[in-house]
């Protein structure tokens, strides 16, 4: 049973790591993935393929574990000072986008992270978020509008 579980989760681990890194806000990404795998193992009998894909199920657990890890980590300083000699312009741009993403409401940030950074489909993002596909599309639209404002992008 353990070997089958390993083979079942193996293709999903890279996406889990990306999502954990995006949502963990400074917490250790690998710790989040390990905790996710432990939870998934313990809850493996609860997985129902008719309710969503294995990827969506695992990423929903990852998102939950990342939120918990980020809460634990918040008491420590999350961001180091980025400006200094040798900072490249592309790094500054990523810092601006990263800061803008942090300022999104949690639900919008989760939708953006799942859809754009974890490369989930709208259907799988909906499964992770526990909502309808229409809600995901609306949430992503609202997030893009908010990001345009935060980043002062003119259309």
């Amino acid at each position: 049973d353990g070997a089958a579980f390993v083979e079942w989760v193996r293709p999903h681990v890279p996406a889990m790591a990306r999502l954990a890194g995006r949502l963990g806000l400074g917490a250790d990404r690998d710790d989040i993935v390990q905790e996710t795998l432990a939870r998934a193992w313990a809850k493996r009998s609860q997985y129902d393929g008719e309710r969503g894909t294995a990827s969506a199920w695992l990423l929903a657990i990852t998102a939950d574990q990342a939120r918990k890890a980020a809460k634990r980590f918040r008491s420590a300083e999350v961001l180091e000072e980025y400006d200094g000699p040798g900072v490249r312009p592309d790094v500054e741009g990523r810092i601006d986008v990263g800061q803008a993403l942090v300022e999104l409401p949690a639900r919008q940030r989760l939708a953006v992270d799942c859809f754009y950074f974890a490369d989930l489909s709208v259907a799988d993002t909906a499964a992770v978020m526990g909502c309808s596909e229409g809600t995901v599309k609306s949430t992503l639209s609202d997030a893009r509008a908010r990001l345009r404002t935060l980043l002062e992008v003119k259309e």
Side-chain angles (χ1 to χ4, degrees), residues 40-52:
W41 172 258
K43 295 181 175 196
R44 67 191 181 281
S45 65
Q46 295 176 9
Y47 171 70
D48 179 2
E50 292 181 16
R51 295 183 58 206

Side-chain angles (χ1 to χ4, degrees), residues 5-136:
F5 178 79
V6 169
E7 290 306 311
W8 185 69
V9 299
R10 186 182 313 271
H12 309 290
V13 171
M16 293 164 61
R18 282 193 305 274
L19 188 61
R22 296 282 317 148
L23 297 178
L25 297 177
D28 187 271
R29 177 190 73 172
D30 293 337
D31 287 348
I32 295 168
V33 172
Q34 289 298 318
E35 188 61 32
T36 298
L37 292 171
R39 296 275 188 212
W41 172 258
K43 295 181 175 196
R44 67 191 181 281
S45 65
Q46 295 176 9
Y47 171 70
D48 179 2
E50 292 181 16
R51 295 183 58 206
T53 65
S55 179
W57 186 73
L58 290 166
L59 290 170
I61 297 170
T62 303
D64 184 52
Q65 293 305 312
R67 276 191 297 272
K68 290 176 183 176
K71 284 180 185 176
R72 289 189 300 267
F73 190 78
R74 267 190 208 118
S75 61
E77 184 134 318
V78 176
L79 298 175
E80 297 292 325
E81 191 169 325
Y82 286 101
D83 39 34
V87 175
R88 300 183 335 240
D90 61 323
V91 172
E92 291 175 4
R94 282 183 285 171
I95 292 168
D96 290 344
V97 171
Q99 183 57 42
L101 287 169
V102 169
E103 292 185 32
L104 289 176
R107 192 157 179 82
Q108 288 179 3
R109 192 170 53 247
L110 177 60
V112 167
D113 285 335
C114 288
F115 186 75
Y116 291 108
F117 292 100
D119 292 326
L120 295 182
S121 67
V122 170
D124 284 346
T125 300
V128 169
M129 294 177 64
C131 64
S132 71
E133 291 181 33
T135 300
V136 169

